[in-house]
Structures are given as C-alpha cells and as structure tokens.
Amino acid sequence: MFTGIVEERGEITARDDLTEAARFRIRGPLVTSDASFGDSIAVNGVCLTVTELTDDEFTVDVMAETLRRSSLDRLGPGASVNLERAMAAGGRFGGHIVQGHVDGVGVIVSVSPSENWTVVRIGIPEQLARYIVEKGSITVDGISLTVSSVGVDREYGDWFEVSLIPTTLSETNLSGARAGVRVNLEVDVIAKYVERLTGAGRLATSGVEGSEPNE
C-alpha cells in the first residue's frame, strides 16, 4: 500500500529485455537506504518487488503483462522515475489510498504553465472517466493529485486536468511533462468498490487496464 507522496526521483540505469519480461536497475539512494530483498517499491505508480540491492541501486523484474498495461514498456536507461516505499503502518497518510495497480495509461494532451502553477491536461481511456471527478483523487505516475477539472472533446475524448505547484514539478518526473507523453493512471479504489457494491459495475465495461485514450 502506498500514499502517492513521491519520496524520490530516481533514474533507470539499466534495462535487460528477457523472455516475456524485463529487468530494470534503478538508482534511488533514499528508497534503498532501508530496503531489503522482497520489499515493495512503487516505480511510476507500479508496485514492484526488489530482487537485488547494490549500493544505492535496486533491481526489479517486470513481467510482460505489467509492461503491456503500463508505460514502463517505453522506459530505458536515463529515464526519470518517481519512487515511493510502501507505507509504514505508523506513518502519516499524506496522499490517498494507492495500491500500485495501474488501471490504464493516459496521454498528456497539453501543458499550460503560469506564474505559480502549471495545468496539465491528460487524455484518458473512456472506461476510466466514470471514476474521475472534479476535486477527487487521482494517481498519475505514482503521484497523488487532485483533479481540478474534467471534460470531453471531439479531438481527445475524455480528459481531466491537474494543477501542479512548483514543488511537485521539481520533485517528480512531471517536470518534463509534454504533450504526447504516456503516464500511468490509478483511479480511487473506493470508487470502484462503491460501483461494485451498488451493482453499477455489472453494466460497465470490464477490463479497463491497458486501454488507450480515445483518438
């Protein structure tokens, strides 16, 4: 379990493509400072298991299913990634409930900077739109953010916006946000449970993971 409060911006230092999998080595001095074999670390919002530790780096194995359903498939050496250790039971709950299970991949539509914040619009798979509400929580590449606006248009289909303060930009990989970049999305799990318990989920399209935004 995670909270979506990024602890460190790490860097992929190596990638080995294996049969139906990939192995990443990632530099992250903070998250490795007390890590052990088998620990969970969220990498761009994807919960992964530590398989090796060397100095300030850790290694994770990513199966083909995870590569297919997330943006990790396009990352290689030099890529900046958001890192968060699993939440400690006695720690502060600074963000919201984040499982590290990607529900879909969005695409950044536009980035609109201003003096004190930057608005990022993200196109989303149609099946995820019902879970995203204005002022609700959303996880973007492992970052817990508040939705500032939602909408739909002919060109991009469903979209939502988040307003980023300078600290969020400087401490996460969204500092390099630009149109066309793919990002991992995890919607608020509470919304999915409510839908299921009320029976609404029976009428909704199943298998939202890995869906692409509308063209």
Side-chain angles (χ1 to χ4, degrees):
M1 190 69 69
F2 305 91
T3 70
I5 303 301
V6 174
E7 295 186 282
E8 180 176 23
R9 186 163 59 177
E11 180 185 351
I12 295 176
T13 58
R15 170 176 175 162
D16 296 321
D17 289 308
L18 312 172
T19 303
E20 297 296 316
R23 180 168 294 149
F24 291 90
R25 190 166 68 246
I26 302 169
R27 180 178 296 114
L30 177 60
V31 299
T32 58
S33 62
D34 62 352
S36 301
F37 174 83
D39 282 355
S40 295
I41 295 178
V43 179
N44 276 5
V46 182
C47 179
L48 299 173
T49 301
V50 174
T51 58
E52 292 181 18
L53 285 164
T54 56
D55 297 327
D56 60 354
E57 297 184 337
F58 66 99
T59 300
V60 292
D61 291 333
V62 185
M63 60 184 177
E65 179 75 358
T66 302
L67 292 171
R68 183 177 71 83
R69 294 181 181 271
S70 73
S71 64
L72 295 183
D73 64 329
R74 300 193 179 188
L75 300 185
S80 175
V81 289
N82 300 320
L83 303 176
E84 181 190 356
R85 292 169 289 188
M87 182 180 68
R92 287 189 173 90
F93 206 108
H96 71 283
I97 298 173
V98 177
Q99 297 180 297
H101 302 158
V102 174
D103 290 304
V105 175
V107 176
I108 295 177
V109 173
S110 63
V111 179
S112 304
S114 63
E115 183 178 357
N116 296 308
W117 65 83
T118 295
V119 176
V120 178
R121 178 174 292 188
I122 300 173
I124 56 175
E126 181 181 1
Q127 298 93 330
L128 293 186
R130 64 184 181 274
Y131 301 116
I132 302 175
V133 297
E134 189 172 331
K135 306 306 179 185
S137 297
I138 184 74
T139 307
V140 178
D141 266 359
I143 310 165
S144 174
L145 297 170
T146 299
V147 176
S148 57
S149 182
V150 296
V152 60
D153 60 38
R154 290 184 178 181
E155 184 175 2
Y156 298 108
D158 293 287
W159 55 262
F160 71 91
E161 290 180 342
V162 289
S163 299
L164 309 179
I165 62 174
T167 297
T168 302
L169 290 172
S170 64
E171 298 298 322
T172 72
N173 66 356
L174 288 184
S175 60
R178 63 186 186 281
V181 170
R182 289 157 49 96
V183 291
N184 295 323
L185 303 176
E186 181 183 332
V187 300
D188 191 344
V189 67
I190 295 175
K192 293 189 289 184
Y193 277 123
V194 169
E195 178 184 74
R196 180 68 173 176
L197 290 170
T198 59
R202 298 173 186 173
L203 301 177
T205 303
S206 62
V208 296
E209 292 192 51
S211 301
E212 294 291 339
N214 294 342
E215 295 295 328

